[in-house]
PDB file of all heavy atoms in Angstrom:
ATOM      1  N   LYS A1476       4.366   3.619  -0.422  1.00 98.00           N
ATOM      2  CA  LYS A1476       4.485   2.653   0.686  1.00 98.00           C
ATOM      3  C   LYS A1476       4.514   1.223   0.166  1.00 98.00           C
ATOM      4  O   LYS A1476       5.378   0.432   0.563  1.00 98.00           O
ATOM      5  CB  LYS A1476       3.303   2.824   1.652  1.00 98.00           C
ATOM      6  CG  LYS A1476       3.143   1.684   2.641  1.00 98.00           C
ATOM      7  CD  LYS A1476       1.971   1.897   3.573  1.00 98.00           C
ATOM      8  CE  LYS A1476       0.626   1.446   3.061  1.00 98.00           C
ATOM      9  NZ  LYS A1476       0.361  -0.008   3.128  1.00 98.00           N
ATOM     10  N   ASN A1477       3.555   0.899  -0.715  1.00 98.00           N
ATOM     11  CA  ASN A1477       3.422  -0.510  -1.103  1.00 98.00           C
ATOM     12  C   ASN A1477       4.471  -0.969  -2.119  1.00 98.00           C
ATOM     13  O   ASN A1477       4.533  -2.155  -2.447  1.00 98.00           O
ATOM     14  CB  ASN A1477       2.003  -0.782  -1.618  1.00 98.00           C
ATOM     15  CG  ASN A1477       1.000  -0.760  -0.467  1.00 98.00           C
ATOM     16  OD1 ASN A1477       1.397  -0.734   0.701  1.00 98.00           O
ATOM     17  ND2 ASN A1477      -0.282  -0.739  -0.790  1.00 98.00           N
ATOM     18  N   PRO A1577      -5.860 -14.241   4.430  1.00 91.00           N
ATOM     19  CA  PRO A1577      -4.956 -15.385   4.620  1.00 91.00           C
ATOM     20  C   PRO A1577      -3.746 -15.313   3.688  1.00 91.00           C
ATOM     21  O   PRO A1577      -3.714 -14.488   2.768  1.00 91.00           O
ATOM     22  CB  PRO A1577      -5.847 -16.572   4.250  1.00 91.00           C
ATOM     23  CG  PRO A1577      -6.907 -16.023   3.366  1.00 91.00           C
ATOM     24  CD  PRO A1577      -7.118 -14.592   3.778  1.00 91.00           C
ATOM     25  N   GLU A1579      -2.297 -18.344   2.329  1.00 95.00           N
ATOM     26  CA  GLU A1579      -2.032 -19.706   1.862  1.00 95.00           C
ATOM     27  C   GLU A1579      -1.448 -19.744   0.448  1.00 95.00           C
ATOM     28  O   GLU A1579      -0.732 -20.687   0.109  1.00 95.00           O
ATOM     29  CB  GLU A1579      -3.307 -20.576   1.981  1.00 95.00           C
ATOM     30  CG  GLU A1579      -4.285 -20.519   0.820  1.00 95.00           C
ATOM     31  CD  GLU A1579      -5.049 -19.200   0.709  1.00 95.00           C
ATOM     32  OE1 GLU A1579      -4.975 -18.387   1.633  1.00 95.00           O
ATOM     33  OE2 GLU A1579      -5.701 -18.983  -0.331  1.00 95.00           O
ATOM     34  N   GLN A1580      -1.692 -18.697  -0.355  1.00 97.00           N
ATOM     35  CA  GLN A1580      -1.116 -18.684  -1.715  1.00 97.00           C
ATOM     36  C   GLN A1580       0.401 -18.501  -1.671  1.00 97.00           C
ATOM     37  O   GLN A1580       1.127 -19.048  -2.499  1.00 97.00           O
ATOM     38  CB  GLN A1580      -1.743 -17.561  -2.562  1.00 97.00           C
ATOM     39  CG  GLN A1580      -3.233 -17.690  -2.748  1.00 97.00           C
ATOM     40  CD  GLN A1580      -3.621 -18.986  -3.438  1.00 97.00           C
ATOM     41  OE1 GLN A1580      -3.050 -19.343  -4.468  1.00 97.00           O
ATOM     42  NE2 GLN A1580      -4.562 -19.698  -2.859  1.00 97.00           N
ATOM     43  N   THR A1621      -2.992 -11.955  -6.101  1.00 98.00           N
ATOM     44  CA  THR A1621      -2.517 -11.461  -4.814  1.00 98.00           C
ATOM     45  C   THR A1621      -1.237 -10.655  -5.007  1.00 98.00           C
ATOM     46  O   THR A1621      -0.284 -11.145  -5.621  1.00 98.00           O
ATOM     47  CB  THR A1621      -2.341 -12.589  -3.762  1.00 98.00           C
ATOM     48  OG1 THR A1621      -1.382 -12.164  -2.769  1.00 98.00           O
ATOM     49  CG2 THR A1621      -1.869 -13.903  -4.351  1.00 98.00           C
ATOM     50  N   VAL A1622      -1.254  -9.431  -4.480  1.00 98.00           N
ATOM     51  CA  VAL A1622      -0.136  -8.513  -4.706  1.00 98.00           C
ATOM     52  C   VAL A1622       1.098  -8.972  -3.929  1.00 98.00           C
ATOM     53  O   VAL A1622       2.143  -9.271  -4.516  1.00 98.00           O
ATOM     54  CB  VAL A1622      -0.542  -7.065  -4.318  1.00 98.00           C
ATOM     55  CG1 VAL A1622       0.632  -6.115  -4.484  1.00 98.00           C
ATOM     56  CG2 VAL A1622      -1.725  -6.605  -5.152  1.00 98.00           C
ATOM     57  N   THR A1623       0.985  -9.057  -2.601  1.00 98.00           N
ATOM     58  CA  THR A1623       2.177  -9.460  -1.834  1.00 98.00           C
ATOM     59  C   THR A1623       2.520 -10.927  -2.113  1.00 98.00           C
ATOM     60  O   THR A1623       3.695 -11.298  -2.033  1.00 98.00           O
ATOM     61  CB  THR A1623       1.996  -9.226  -0.314  1.00 98.00           C
ATOM     62  OG1 THR A1623       0.761  -9.798   0.091  1.00 98.00           O
ATOM     63  CG2 THR A1623       2.019  -7.757   0.040  1.00 98.00           C
ATOM     64  N   ASP A1763      -7.746   0.362  -2.688  1.00 98.00           N
ATOM     65  CA  ASP A1763      -7.146   1.356  -1.794  1.00 98.00           C
ATOM     66  C   ASP A1763      -7.658   2.774  -2.044  1.00 98.00           C
ATOM     67  O   ASP A1763      -7.278   3.704  -1.334  1.00 98.00           O
ATOM     68  CB  ASP A1763      -5.608   1.330  -1.907  1.00 98.00           C
ATOM     69  CG  ASP A1763      -5.031   0.069  -1.302  1.00 98.00           C
ATOM     70  OD1 ASP A1763      -5.743  -0.624  -0.547  1.00 98.00           O
ATOM     71  OD2 ASP A1763      -3.853  -0.232  -1.573  1.00 98.00           O
ATOM     72  N   ILE A1785     -12.595  -6.905  -3.347  1.00 96.00           N
ATOM     73  CA  ILE A1785     -11.293  -7.483  -2.946  1.00 96.00           C
ATOM     74  C   ILE A1785     -11.319  -7.931  -1.481  1.00 96.00           C
ATOM     75  O   ILE A1785     -10.924  -9.043  -1.153  1.00 96.00           O
ATOM     76  CB  ILE A1785     -10.140  -6.464  -3.151  1.00 96.00           C
ATOM     77  CG1 ILE A1785     -10.150  -5.912  -4.577  1.00 96.00           C
ATOM     78  CG2 ILE A1785      -8.792  -7.091  -2.790  1.00 96.00           C
ATOM     79  CD1 ILE A1785      -9.659  -6.830  -5.652  1.00 96.00           C
ATOM     80  N   ARG A1829      -6.889   3.454   4.804  1.00 96.00           N
ATOM     81  CA  ARG A1829      -7.634   4.180   3.763  1.00 96.00           C
ATOM     82  C   ARG A1829      -8.969   4.700   4.309  1.00 96.00           C
ATOM     83  O   ARG A1829      -9.477   5.719   3.839  1.00 96.00           O
ATOM     84  CB  ARG A1829      -7.846   3.293   2.536  1.00 96.00           C
ATOM     85  CG  ARG A1829      -6.575   2.648   2.002  1.00 96.00           C
ATOM     86  CD  ARG A1829      -5.481   3.641   1.651  1.00 96.00           C
ATOM     87  NE  ARG A1829      -4.206   2.966   1.387  1.00 96.00           N
ATOM     88  CZ  ARG A1829      -3.059   3.573   1.174  1.00 96.00           C
ATOM     89  NH1 ARG A1829      -2.971   4.889   1.204  1.00 96.00           N
ATOM     90  NH2 ARG A1829      -1.962   2.885   0.956  1.00 96.00           N
TER      91      ARG A1829
HETATM   92  N1  LIG B 591      -5.836 -13.644  -0.482  1.00 63.07           N
HETATM   93  C1  LIG B 591      -6.095 -14.943  -0.081  1.00 63.07           C
HETATM   94  N2  LIG B 591      -5.030 -15.767   0.109  1.00 63.07           N
HETATM   95  C2  LIG B 591      -3.739 -15.357  -0.077  1.00 63.07           C
HETATM   96  C3  LIG B 591      -3.498 -14.048  -0.489  1.00 63.07           C
HETATM   97  C4  LIG B 591      -4.579 -13.208  -0.692  1.00 63.07           C
HETATM   98  O1  LIG B 591      -7.238 -15.340   0.106  1.00 63.07           O
HETATM   99  O2  LIG B 591      -2.824 -16.180   0.127  1.00 63.07           O
HETATM  100  C5  LIG B 591      -6.989 -12.752  -0.708  1.00 63.07           C
HETATM  101  C6  LIG B 591      -7.046 -11.598   0.278  1.00 63.07           C
HETATM  102  O3  LIG B 591      -7.630 -11.972   1.501  1.00 63.07           O
HETATM  103  C7  LIG B 591      -7.829 -10.560  -0.483  1.00 63.07           C
HETATM  104  C8  LIG B 591      -7.356 -10.790  -1.928  1.00 63.07           C
HETATM  105  O4  LIG B 591      -6.829 -12.113  -1.950  1.00 63.07           O
HETATM  106  O5  LIG B 591      -9.194 -10.828  -0.381  1.00 63.07           O
HETATM  107  C9  LIG B 591      -6.301  -9.836  -2.427  1.00 63.07           C
HETATM  108  O6  LIG B 591      -5.295  -9.663  -1.433  1.00 63.07           O
HETATM  109  P1  LIG B 591      -3.793  -9.332  -1.759  1.00 63.07           P
HETATM  110  O7  LIG B 591      -2.954 -10.498  -1.362  1.00 63.07           O
HETATM  111  O8  LIG B 591      -3.648  -8.810  -3.143  1.00 63.07           O
HETATM  112  O9  LIG B 591      -3.525  -8.141  -0.734  1.00 63.07           O
HETATM  113  P2  LIG B 591      -2.159  -7.857  -0.015  1.00 63.07           P
HETATM  114  O10 LIG B 591      -1.056  -8.233  -0.919  1.00 63.07           O
HETATM  115  O11 LIG B 591      -2.188  -8.390   1.356  1.00 63.07           O
HETATM  116  C10 LIG B 591      -1.763  -5.439  -0.979  1.00 63.07           C
HETATM  117  C11 LIG B 591      -1.584  -4.066  -0.423  1.00 63.07           C
HETATM  118  C12 LIG B 591      -2.924  -3.581   0.130  1.00 63.07           C
HETATM  119  C13 LIG B 591      -3.936  -3.577  -1.015  1.00 63.07           C
HETATM  120  C14 LIG B 591      -4.040  -4.980  -1.626  1.00 63.07           C
HETATM  121  C15 LIG B 591      -4.950  -5.052  -2.836  1.00 63.07           C
HETATM  122  C16 LIG B 591       0.717  -4.076   0.284  1.00 63.07           C
HETATM  123  C17 LIG B 591       1.703  -4.066   1.396  1.00 63.07           C
HETATM  124  N3  LIG B 591      -0.569  -4.105   0.630  1.00 63.07           N
HETATM  125  O12 LIG B 591      -2.196  -6.263   0.100  1.00 63.07           O
HETATM  126  O13 LIG B 591      -2.723  -2.265   0.574  1.00 63.07           O
HETATM  127  O14 LIG B 591      -5.205  -3.190  -0.534  1.00 63.07           O
HETATM  128  O15 LIG B 591      -2.727  -5.427  -2.034  1.00 63.07           O
HETATM  129  O16 LIG B 591      -4.524  -4.173  -3.813  1.00 63.07           O
HETATM  130  O17 LIG B 591       1.096  -4.043  -0.875  1.00 63.07           O
HETATM  131  C18 LIG B 591      -3.133  -0.356   1.931  1.00 63.07           C
HETATM  132  O18 LIG B 591      -2.099   0.162   1.454  1.00 63.07           O
HETATM  133  O19 LIG B 591      -3.952   0.302   2.614  1.00 63.07           O
HETATM  134  C19 LIG B 591      -3.399  -1.767   1.688  1.00 63.07           C
HETATM  135  C20 LIG B 591      -4.229  -2.476   2.445  1.00 63.07           C
END
Side-chain angles (χ1 to χ4, degrees):
K1476 166 180 85 78
N1477 288 350
E1579 86 289 350
Q1580 299 300 311
T1621 156
V1622 177
T1623 50
D1763 290 344
I1785 307 285
R1829 308 304 169 186

